[in-house]
Amino acid sequence: MKSSKPYFSYALHAALVVLGAAILTALLAAPTLAIQSSGSQKQNVRPSATKDPGSSLEEGEKNVEQTSFGYEFTQPQFHIRHILIEHDAGGAGKITFERLHEEVAIVEPVALSKTALSRISTLWETSRFLESDTNYQSDKQFPHLGTIRLMMAKGERNRTAEFNWTNNATVAALVAEYRRVADQAIFVFDISVARANQPLNAPKLLERLELLMRRDGISDPEQLVPLLRDISRDEHIPLIARHHADRLLKKMKK
């Protein structure tokens, strides 16, 4: 009879190989299972996580009370018969104005300078416009001077005050500020049209600008510096207008 030891050794060796392979397979599979389990946990946590910061910001912005301001002037017999200035708390907005015998209103963007916005904002705050119910109309009526409306809205609160003359110093100063904004914006529009289509009108426009500047009738002359520089170099307009623009720049530097 042949010995059973060789057979036993072969069987033992085969068993050890199979066992080793099984252990190796289990070890290789373990990291994969751990990754899959970790991934499952992350997915389960997401639905209950905090909302995306972007969506929270948008909701917050919707809850912020937006403030808007307005100034309106109407006198059907004046050359500029209607002016409407609307802007936000940052000074960005638009101006709408109409001229006598012209049916089409002109709408232009307007941006108050930091200096002008500071003055205007202070006057609005001093007047406590939304909290007040003060009647700004003076005892005397001056309808021939035109009708003025001041408007302010913040959130659900809004107020419009109408008058043709006021003895309230703060409100009168506010009206004067808006008139300066209007005159500056109208000049910018008119000189732009002149440079493009009617260059011969440029000298008269610059004369009018200098008159406004002499009587403190411009909202912020510094805002006009880049424009005046361009005009002083614009060969499409008369030389007298270019020299005038250059003189105004020199006066502003003094």
Side-chain angles (χ1 to χ4, degrees):
M1 172 182 282
K2 294 182 179 180
S3 175
S4 61
K5 289 183 178 180
Y7 175 78
F8 176 76
S9 298
Y10 174 78
L12 179 60
H13 177 73
L16 290 173
V17 171
V18 172
L19 179 60
I23 294 172
L24 180 61
T25 301
L27 291 173
L28 293 173
T32 304
L33 292 173
I35 292 172
Q36 291 176 348
S37 175
S38 176
S40 299
Q41 290 177 356
K42 288 181 179 179
Q43 291 175 354
N44 290 336
V45 170
R46 284 185 186 276
S48 60
T50 304
K51 291 183 180 180
D52 182 74
S55 61
S56 299
L57 181 61
E58 291 176 0
E59 291 178 2
E61 289 176 347
K62 291 178 181 178
N63 293 329
V64 174
E65 288 185 324
Q66 299 297 324
T67 307
S68 61
F69 306 87
Y71 161 86
E72 186 174 21
F73 170 81
T74 306
Q75 210 319 350
Q77 303 303 317
F78 280 14
H79 176 62
I80 303 294
R81 58 189 176 91
H82 180 233
I83 299 171
L84 175 62
I85 299 173
E86 303 165 285
H87 66 90
D88 59 21
K94 64 180 180 179
I95 179 172
T96 304
F97 62 94
E98 302 173 55
R99 288 192 168 97
L100 190 64
H101 307 310
E102 292 183 5
E103 296 181 0
V104 179
I106 298 167
V107 182
E108 290 287 303
V110 67
L112 304 180
S113 71
K114 290 183 179 180
T115 302
L117 180 61
S118 176
R119 296 194 305 264
I120 289 173
S121 298
T122 299
L123 290 169
W124 279 110
E125 291 170 6
T126 302
S127 70
R128 299 186 61 83
F129 188 80
L130 275 183
E131 294 80 9
S132 172
D133 58 357
T134 303
N135 178 12
Y136 300 125
Q137 175 63 50
S138 66
D139 293 335
K140 293 184 178 180
Q141 297 283 336
F142 298 90
H144 64 285
L145 297 177
T147 300
I148 296 167
R149 294 183 185 87
L150 292 175
M151 298 154 282
M152 182 178 178
K154 185 176 183 180
E156 297 181 352
R157 296 181 297 165
N158 65 82
R159 181 191 176 198
T160 299
E162 180 176 312
F163 52 92
N164 55 53
W165 188 262
T166 183
N167 293 323
N168 184 301
T170 300
V171 171
L174 184 59
V175 169
E177 287 290 347
Y178 278 117
R179 187 68 211 193
R180 293 186 186 101
V181 172
D183 285 340
Q184 180 170 321
I186 292 171
F187 166 76
V188 171
F189 172 80
D190 287 342
I191 197 66
S192 300
V193 172
R195 294 175 69 186
N197 304 310
Q198 302 168 329
L200 295 179
N201 288 347
K204 288 184 178 180
L205 291 173
L206 286 166
E207 288 176 5
R208 180 173 180 272
L209 174 62
E210 183 172 15
L211 181 61
L212 287 170
M213 292 173 67
R214 284 178 179 174
R215 66 186 190 195
D216 192 26
I218 292 295
S219 177
D220 188 353
E222 289 295 325
Q223 277 188 305
L224 298 177
V225 169
L227 176 60
L228 290 174
R229 284 203 191 104
D230 286 344
I231 294 171
S232 68
R233 302 165 185 166
D234 190 350
E235 297 182 355
H236 294 93
I237 63 176
L239 183 60
I240 188 175
R242 283 180 271 161
H243 285 169
H244 200 159
D246 194 48
R247 288 198 305 274
L248 291 176
L249 285 169
K250 290 177 180 178
K251 285 183 179 180
M252 292 168 65
K253 291 180 181 178
K254 292 181 179 180

